[in-house]
Amino acid sequence: MSDLPVLPVTFRPGRTRAVLLTSGAVIFVVITTVALLLEQLGPGEKLSFVLTGALLFGVLAMLARVKVVADETGVTVVNIASRRHLDWAEILHVNLRPGDPWVFLNLSDGTSLPALGIQPGIAKERAIADARTLRALAEARSTRDLP
């Protein structure tokens, strides 16, 4: 167990997050600049441009918030519009099969939970390493809790 990271540890798609937040900021700045430079627009129309840019940034920021946090009590999965805490014993298996868009957690209630915080999109090797680390943590923590 010496090769396991010290808890808490957070897994998130760093490069994807950077791309999403940078794109959102650029989109907001461009739309706002266009709104301010178009002299024929009234104040309400300019405001609607700025609000549209802010909305687009907000959507990209929500996509960028995904993460998986492992701590002593279990795993918290933060997806686009949801957050769920799981005890270690609830996680039966951590899956990242070839072609999967993100990690799936097989749970003790028979369901599977997508964990978007580990996704092989831009950084495939990093996602594979993170999935292996989370799998090792889940296996170590769930066997430790057995009588």
Side-chain angles (χ1 to χ4, degrees):
M1 225 189 329
S2 61
D3 58 336
L4 294 179
V6 176
L7 297 178
V9 63
T10 300
F11 303 101
R12 68 174 17 143
R15 290 182 187 166
T16 302
R17 178 178 166 83
V19 167
L20 289 169
L21 292 175
T22 302
S23 299
V26 168
I27 289 169
F28 176 75
V29 168
V30 167
I31 289 176
T32 300
T33 302
V34 167
L36 296 176
L37 292 177
L38 291 175
E39 295 174 7
Q40 69 270 25
L41 295 181
E45 293 167 318
K46 289 181 180 187
L47 180 62
S48 70
F49 268 69
V50 173
L51 291 177
T52 300
L55 178 66
L56 292 171
F57 177 80
V59 168
L60 293 175
M62 284 191 67
L63 293 172
R65 75 185 277 264
V66 298
K67 64 183 174 179
V68 177
V69 180
D71 61 26
E72 293 294 334
T73 64
V75 174
T76 302
V77 177
V78 179
N79 286 333
I80 296 168
S82 66
R83 172 187 299 260
R84 182 169 175 193
H85 181 78
L86 303 164
D87 292 330
W88 286 109
E90 292 180 80
I91 302 170
L92 299 180
H93 198 261
V94 177
N95 289 314
L96 180 59
R97 298 173 299 251
D100 280 351
W102 40 71
V103 163
F104 288 91
L105 305 177
N106 292 342
L107 306 179
S108 58
D109 65 1
T111 63
S112 180
L113 177 67
L116 279 63
I118 303 174
Q119 50 182 265
I122 296 174
K124 184 177 180 179
E125 294 79 23
R126 171 69 187 254
I128 291 169
D130 287 351
R132 286 182 179 149
T133 301
L134 184 59
R135 181 180 301 131
L137 284 167
E139 289 171 357
R141 296 287 169 168
S142 63
T143 57
R144 192 182 73 178
D145 293 340
L146 294 175

